[in-house]
Amino acid sequence: MFVAFLGPKGSFSHHVAQKAFPHETLLPYQNITEVIKAYEAGEVDYSVVPVENSIEGSVHETLDYLFHQAQIQSVAEIVQPIKQQLLATSKDKTIRTIYSHPQALAQGKKYIQEHYPEAQTEITASTAYAARFVAEHKDQPFAAIAPHSAAEEYGLEVIAQDIQEMAENFTRFWILGHQPISLDLAKEEEKMTLALTLPNNLPGALYKALSTFAWRGIDLTKIESRPLKTALGEYFFIIDVNHSQPDLVTYALQELAAIGIAYKILGSYRVYTI
């Protein structure tokens, strides 16, 4: 079995893929869109992608591609604690440029300002790319923000531990595919994620959409709007639904269709934690 992840090795996505598929062949791709397309092209059996961080919010590249272009769903969710480390080739090196993924740079912004106020920051496609780049330029005054696994993978030293601003930092990852899977990880709950498109001529459309779940006692754990990319001011809505009572959710979906609210199921899945 082949599994795609946001590479290179040493990224948080790589760690999640290893936990979910410890005995399968893991293939790195350069960005999230390529990870999803690898599944669509039949190159892999599953794809692992980040979908939301507790500090920085949703990963829009993932959600927008799944809504606008892909016919693929999440079959499992894994919640990964995120701890960011400052890495360099040696602890006594002068650091003038710090590389990382935009979310990692944002999570470590306060530490950088306090300890390296003169350092520039540069964006990379992932934290692991940043670590690999620093390892490849040993003679340069570079550092990377990345996980412990990246330090081990690329032979870097941890200059500072757990530099993220908030201790409670987690990222949700989805495993994309068509076949349900059961993982050897701690199971939390059952969820479904929907993307709703509201008709223009239905007053109170969003209220009516949410009411189909509320009056049935179905918990919604997230609601977020994203541009529909058709005209200014037009949106679709992403909602996460407690799916512990699937029959009630099915009735809610039938009511949505009856009142003219279109929906796309982005996933029906178990939530696991690392």
Side-chain angles (χ1 to χ4, degrees):
M1 183 185 296
F2 297 96
V3 179
F5 68 93
L6 177 61
K9 292 181 178 179
S11 65
F12 286 110
S13 295
H14 182 223
H15 184 250
V16 169
Q18 286 179 312
K19 289 293 186 180
F21 303 97
H23 306 298
E24 309 301 339
T25 302
L26 308 180
L27 303 177
Y29 289 82
Q30 291 189 353
N31 57 60
I32 291 171
T33 299
E34 288 186 6
V35 173
I36 302 174
K37 285 184 174 180
Y39 177 86
E40 292 180 309
E43 298 172 9
V44 297
D45 299 282
Y46 293 98
S47 289
V48 178
V49 293
V51 67
E52 184 180 21
N53 176 261
S54 59
I55 297 177
E56 296 301 313
S58 294
V59 181
H60 295 150
E61 183 179 356
T62 298
L63 293 174
D64 287 354
Y65 190 90
L66 291 177
F67 174 74
H68 289 287
Q69 296 177 261
Q71 297 300 322
I72 176 177
Q73 295 185 10
S74 169
V75 296
E77 176 177 298
I78 299 177
V79 179
Q80 163 73 58
I82 301 298
K83 295 186 182 298
Q84 304 286 8
Q85 322 302 322
L86 185 65
L87 311 179
T89 53
S90 65
K91 291 186 176 181
D92 57 354
K93 172 173 283 190
T94 299
I95 297 175
R96 294 196 177 95
T97 308
I98 299 174
Y99 294 84
S100 199
H101 185 272
Q103 287 195 342
L105 291 172
Q107 292 161 15
K109 184 178 180 180
K110 183 177 180 180
Y111 181 89
I112 294 171
Q113 290 177 339
E114 289 180 357
H115 295 85
Y116 299 96
E118 303 301 322
Q120 295 182 338
T121 56
E122 294 289 343
I123 291 174
T124 58
S126 74
T127 54
Y129 275 114
R132 188 174 73 178
F133 181 83
V134 169
E136 292 172 348
H137 296 79
K138 294 182 180 180
D139 297 331
Q140 299 298 319
F142 296 161
I145 298 176
H148 272 294
S149 56
E152 297 168 1
E153 184 72 32
Y154 300 109
L156 298 175
E157 294 190 33
V158 177
I159 306 303
Q161 300 236 23
D162 300 346
I163 67 170
Q164 68 277 357
E165 293 185 21
M166 299 179 66
E168 294 298 311
N169 187 1
F170 299 88
T171 295
R172 299 167 60 198
F173 288 85
W174 278 355
I175 298 175
L176 304 177
H178 284 106
Q179 296 298 323
I181 57 175
S182 181
L183 304 178
D184 188 21
L185 296 169
K187 178 185 171 184
E188 295 291 326
E189 58 183 328
E190 301 276 351
K191 287 170 62 178
M192 174 181 282
T193 297
L194 302 170
L196 307 181
T197 307
L198 307 180
N200 293 328
N201 60 348
L202 180 63
L206 180 58
Y207 169 79
K208 292 176 180 177
L210 300 182
S211 295
T212 64
F213 300 96
W215 75 263
R216 290 182 171 89
I218 301 171
D219 287 338
L220 301 183
T221 58
K222 173 184 176 178
I223 178 169
E224 177 183 358
S225 63
R226 291 291 299 148
L228 201 51
K229 299 183 179 181
T230 53
L232 185 65
E234 294 186 352
Y235 302 91
F236 69 96
F237 294 85
I238 299 165
I239 62 172
D240 285 351
V241 179
N242 183 296
H243 202 219
S244 60
Q245 297 177 289
D247 289 344
L248 288 180
V249 174
T250 297
Y251 296 143
L253 297 181
Q254 291 172 349
E255 184 176 345
L256 286 178
I259 60 178
I261 295 174
Y263 65 87
K264 181 177 183 179
I265 298 175
L266 300 185
S268 179
Y269 48 87
R270 292 176 179 175
V271 179
Y272 299 87
T273 58
I274 296 178

